[in-house]
Amino acid sequence: MAKTVLMLAGDFVEDYEVMVPYQALLSVGVNVDVVCPGKKKNEVIATAIHDFVGFQTYAESRGHNFVINKSFDEVKIEEYAGLYICGGRSSEYIRLNHSVIEFVQYFFEKNLPVAAICHGIQVLTPANVLKGRTLTAYPAVGPDITVAGGVYKEIDADKAVVDGNLVTSPAWPGHPAILREFYKMIGVHIG
C-alpha cells in the first residue's frame, strides 16, 4: 500500500517549495495530501516566487495557482506516514491555526518523519518541538530556532540537516538533499 504524506501550505507559499516536493513525492509513488487551514479540496492557493535580484533580501513575485487536493477539516492525522512543511510567507500565518500545531506535535510525539524547508520552520517553533534539536532554515528564521530551544546550523542552501525524525533545508536549492533524506525516513528506496 502506498504511503501518504501530509503537506502543509497556504497562500503565498513559495512556488518551488510546494510544487517540487509535491511532484517529486508523487513520482516515487507517495500519495500527498496538500492542505491549508480554511481551504477545501479543489480550492486554490496562490504561490510566490522568491528570488535574489540585488536587494538585501529576496524579492517576491506572483507564482502559479496551486489546487488544494484535500479539505483541511477532513484530515485524519493517524493516516499519514510523514509531514512536509513548505516554506514561503504562508508559514507565518498557518502556524496560528491550533490544528496545525497539533498536527506538528503529533508527528513529533510519534517520532514520524517531518521535513521543513526555508520559512516552513516557523511552523515548528510555536509547537514546542525544537528543544535540543539541530536544524537549519532560511537565515532570517535562525533566531526563531534559537528562541524555541533549538540549535540553528547555518549551511549552504543546497544542503540539508537531519536530526532524528526531522530533516530541514534552508531554501529550494536544497530539494535534492531534503527529499533524499525524507525518502529514506518514509521508507522509499530508489535505485
Side-chain angles (χ1 to χ4, degrees):
M1 178 178 276
K3 294 177 187 293
T4 304
V5 166
L6 181 64
M7 184 174 282
L8 298 175
D11 281 322
F12 298 102
V13 61
E14 208 290 327
D15 192 275
Y16 287 173
E17 292 171 4
V18 67
M19 296 284 189
V20 171
Y22 174 71
Q23 293 174 342
L25 286 160
L26 290 177
S27 78
V28 296
V30 176
N31 297 318
V32 184
D33 287 346
V34 184
V35 299
C36 171
K39 298 270 187 172
K40 294 185 178 352
K41 181 178 181 178
N42 296 323
E43 290 186 334
V44 171
I45 55 174
T47 72
I49 297 168
H50 294 160
D51 205 359
F52 289 90
V53 290
F55 303 114
Q56 291 179 319
T57 189
Y58 58 84
E60 185 173 86
S61 302
R62 179 67 163 86
H64 299 91
N65 287 332
F66 187 93
V67 178
I68 296 295
N69 66 357
K70 175 95 174 187
S71 296
F72 186 81
D73 294 338
E74 294 176 355
V75 169
K76 290 182 176 66
I77 199 67
E78 64 280 355
E79 296 177 354
Y80 296 98
L83 175 66
Y84 199 102
I85 306 170
C86 303
R89 272 196 294 132
S90 63
S91 304
E92 71 188 28
Y93 72 86
I94 67 169
R95 67 183 177 167
L96 300 176
N97 182 284
H98 185 67
S99 293
V100 166
I101 299 306
E102 287 179 341
F103 293 167
V104 169
Q105 291 169 336
Y106 172 86
F107 282 94
F108 278 87
E109 287 165 6
K110 300 290 184 185
N111 200 36
L112 293 170
V114 176
I117 192 162
C118 198
H119 286 77
I121 286 78
Q122 288 180 312
V123 176
L124 301 176
T125 56
N128 280 332
V129 295
L130 297 183
K131 286 182 180 60
R133 296 285 192 133
T134 299
L135 62 155
T136 193
Y138 181 70
V141 181
D144 300 51
I145 292 169
T146 303
V147 168
V151 177
Y152 170 66
K153 185 172 184 179
E154 188 169 346
I155 62 170
D156 293 337
D158 63 345
K159 305 285 189 264
V161 172
V162 176
D163 186 337
N165 68 316
L166 176 64
V167 60
T168 53
S169 184
W172 56 259
H175 284 314
I178 193 172
L179 285 165
R180 185 179 312 112
E181 297 300 331
F182 192 60
Y183 291 156
K184 289 179 204 172
M185 290 177 174
I186 61 174
V188 171
H189 306 284
I190 300 174

